[in-house]
Amino acid sequence: MNKGTVLLVDDELIVLQLQAAAVRHFGFEAIMADTAEEGLHLAGKHNPSLIISDVQMPGEGGFDFVNGLRRRGIKTMPVMYLTGYDDIITVRDGLKAGGDDFIIKGGPVENLRKRIAFWMTSGFVGLPDELRRRAIDAVSQDNCEGFSGIENYFAGDDFLVERATSQMREEVSSLPENYGFRMIERVFFMARLSHIVITQCSGFGDLVRFPEALDRITRMLDMPWSKDMSALYGEYEYWTQDIRFVKAGAEPLKPFQDYQWPNI
């Protein structure tokens, strides 16, 4: 199956057709399901690169659908909820079910295009587990007072991106010109960037949009190997299991041979 395939799950035929038209206009293939059960079947059969699911559907809803993907071991792609429920409970329950992103129904089609473009090109296959846990904790601790809508929380913190980019640029500037041509140094670059971004996240919106922040900062730094980072982002969870990833993230960037790895 074409790696540019998007699976759309929604019980409203008109909504499905409009979504499919938009996805094809953006240059990707679209397949459609009008029930969670059919969505599970098509996901297993076609292994799409991205799934966009409604939340409220007759019978099993969007959260049940994503839970089903996980139970069957076929949740290997990002899942974005397209929802009319603009509230914090939707965020909490959607994250717990295993969803990775949210967009409000009826919004500008440009918002949908940007979210699809990100997930289809960044390399990330979902929200990393650690960021999901942090985001769920942050949402659960929110008392919901003054909640101003999902889109406002997920608008993206430009100041966070600018601060992290500035710090990474400063650290990179002191390194040899050939830094990053070894894959392990790119892994440690990813570790360090992750640490910097996480420490600057101020709420659940920043945590959910963590993958996008990494992607944006990598592009802004424009290293000779920046375009190759998408392959590493696709294996993000794998690398976070390596103790060296954690240790490298906590230290300023340096050439690989300058790290000390006692008792590893």
Side-chain angles (χ1 to χ4, degrees):
M1 173 58 69
N2 188 323
K3 291 300 289 181
T5 299
V6 180
L7 170 60
L8 307 166
V9 186
D10 199 303
D11 64 298
E12 297 184 43
L13 181 59
I14 293 178
V15 173
L16 269 180
Q17 292 173 337
L18 289 173
Q19 290 181 35
V23 166
R24 291 166 183 144
H25 178 73
F26 302 152
F28 305 109
E29 295 294 327
I31 51 178
M32 299 179 287
D34 60 6
T35 66
E37 182 179 1
E38 184 182 10
L40 288 171
H41 170 71
L42 292 177
K45 179 179 180 181
H46 297 293
N47 188 28
S49 300
L50 171 67
I51 296 176
I52 303 175
S53 175
D54 188 16
V55 170
Q56 187 67 30
M57 296 182 287
E60 292 191 338
F63 300 158
D64 298 317
F65 166 60
V66 180
N67 266 318
L69 291 173
R70 298 172 76 184
R71 287 195 305 271
R72 297 187 183 197
I74 56 175
K75 205 286 185 179
T76 58
M77 71 294 287
V79 176
M80 180 165 61
Y81 297 115
L82 186 63
T83 175
Y85 292 87
D86 193 12
D87 60 76
I88 200 167
I89 304 303
T90 297
V91 176
R92 183 197 65 194
D93 293 348
L95 289 171
K96 286 183 176 180
D100 306 293
D101 201 353
F102 303 81
I103 190 166
I104 296 300
K105 278 186 175 182
V109 69
E110 179 64 11
N111 291 350
L112 179 63
R113 185 198 67 79
K114 287 180 179 179
R115 301 315 307 151
I116 292 175
F118 167 73
W119 287 114
M120 296 294 278
T121 62
S122 68
F124 280 97
V125 294
L127 182 63
D129 289 344
E130 175 62 22
L131 276 298
R132 182 183 305 281
R133 287 190 290 269
R134 289 173 180 262
I136 291 172
D137 287 344
V139 171
S140 299
Q141 293 168 12
D142 198 305
N143 61 15
C144 302
E145 291 183 7
F147 182 77
S148 56
I150 290 175
E151 294 286 2
N152 292 325
Y153 281 84
F154 295 149
D157 187 342
D158 290 336
F159 290 113
L160 182 157
V161 170
E162 290 171 7
R163 290 192 301 270
T165 302
S166 177
Q167 183 171 345
M168 289 295 290
R169 183 173 284 120
E170 182 177 350
E171 292 189 15
V172 169
S173 68
S174 65
L175 297 171
E177 290 186 2
N178 65 350
Y179 177 85
F181 285 94
R182 299 180 65 177
M183 187 184 74
I184 193 63
E185 289 181 332
R186 297 178 210 171
V187 172
F188 291 163
F189 171 92
M190 179 169 64
R192 180 59 175 162
L193 177 56
S194 298
H195 178 83
I196 290 172
V197 171
I198 289 174
T199 57
Q200 296 193 29
C201 287
S202 60
F204 68 81
D206 292 342
L207 294 164
V208 172
R209 289 291 164 86
F210 166 85
E212 183 176 16
L214 261 62
D215 183 61
R216 285 182 62 190
I217 294 166
T218 300
R219 293 174 188 272
M220 290 172 68
L221 289 170
D222 194 27
M223 305 297 289
W225 34 265
S226 290
K227 293 181 179 179
D228 298 327
M229 288 299 295
S230 61
L232 289 180
Y233 289 147
E235 299 177 342
Y236 187 89
E237 293 286 7
Y238 168 82
W239 288 110
T240 60
Q241 305 308 308
D242 191 322
I243 187 62
R244 293 174 299 177
F245 185 93
V246 179
K247 290 181 176 292
E251 301 179 26
L253 287 174
K254 63 186 78 172
F256 171 72
Q257 64 271 17
D258 292 348
Y259 288 93
Q260 301 295 320
W261 308 119
N263 302 320
I264 294 181

